[in-house]
Amino acid sequence: MQPDLPEHLLINHFRDRAPLTHCMTNDVVQTFTANVLLAFGASPAMVIEAEEAQQFAAIADALLINVGTLTVPRAQAMRLAVESARAAGKPWTLDPVAVGALAFRTQFCQQLLALKPAAIRGNASEIMALAGISAGGRGVDTTDTASSALPAAQALARQMHAIVAVTGEVDYITDGQRTKEVTGGDPLMTRVVGTGCALSAVVAASCALPGDRLDNVAAACGLMKRAGSEAAQASQGPGSFATAFLDAIWHLEGAA
């Protein structure tokens, strides 16, 4: 089956424009995240030191803030980078890893919301906790379904004037008024560390590309799910899946 036209176009934009994507992400997933962005055609950079991060955020096309391995110095660097990105008119994306389950990161992410992210990508429990509706999940694991978090995602999107993607077995992407549903993927995607964090980086990069931002984020989610489905068919388990997943992204086709 041919992909939806926005997905076709998003691949073209990635490979034509190679968006420079500044990823302040967690230590566990940096290499995988960089490789996923490279497979899409983006240009990843992992600049963490506060002084450099502040400078680089204004240069990059997009910024990702992922709080998976948050520390006090890293939080300070992240805030400086977000302020710099905003001053330069560059979009930034928040991945609120384990928000609601842990107090320090929950407070930090709530503070960052005042700096108006372009997009927020999280699992159901994270999005509900960020919206103030629940206490959060079990660490990085959600205890809620994506559909149950949709009202919270829509309310958060309206409040922040942002795109909110609540991802899981089914992804829901909303700007508070419009909502897109993305199906597909494979359970093996949950058995490899970093697929969700890498998706957040792809979402961040997509926010810097031409077109409707809601369409771009939905297309990013759809492309990742399609790559996951194709990789699962070609793999024997989690180890071979990670390699097959990168290959599947590399072979995604854009519009003719």
Side-chain angles (χ1 to χ4, degrees), residues 22 24 47-58 63 65 72-88 92 108 112 115:
H22 181 187
M24 299 186 76
V47 180
I48 298 298
E49 171 59 33
E51 184 176 348
E52 291 188 336
Q54 183 179 26
Q55 180 183 4
F56 193 77
L63 170 67
I65 299 296
V72 170
R74 186 165 291 187
Q76 293 169 344
M78 287 175 168
R79 186 175 185 92
L80 287 171
V82 170
E83 290 172 346
S84 179
R86 274 181 51 81
W92 73 278
F108 176 64
L112 282 188
L115 297 175

Side-chain angles (χ1 to χ4, degrees), residues 48-138:
I48 298 298
E49 171 59 33
E51 184 176 348
E52 291 188 336
Q54 183 179 26
Q55 180 183 4
F56 193 77
I59 299 169
D61 296 309
L63 170 67
L64 168 67
I65 299 296
N66 174 309
V67 299
T69 51
L70 192 64
T71 64
V72 170
R74 186 165 291 187
Q76 293 169 344
M78 287 175 168
R79 186 175 185 92
L80 287 171
V82 170
E83 290 172 346
S84 179
R86 274 181 51 81
K90 305 298 178 67
W92 73 278
T93 293
L94 176 63
D95 185 339
V97 179
V99 158
L102 297 166
F104 173 50
R105 67 188 57 212
T106 301
Q107 182 181 26
F108 176 64
C109 286
Q110 291 287 358
Q111 292 170 350
L112 282 188
L113 289 180
L115 297 175
K116 301 297 183 183
I120 303 166
R121 200 294 310 172
N123 67 35
S125 294
E126 292 162 351
I127 296 301
M128 292 173 75
L130 201 60
I133 291 176
S134 77
R138 189 170 58 91

Side-chain angles (χ1 to χ4, degrees), residues 224-245:
M224 289 284 279
K225 280 190 177 295
R226 187 190 313 157
S229 297
E230 293 176 2
Q233 296 174 15
S235 63
Q236 302 299 313
S240 55
F241 175 83
T243 300
F245 184 64

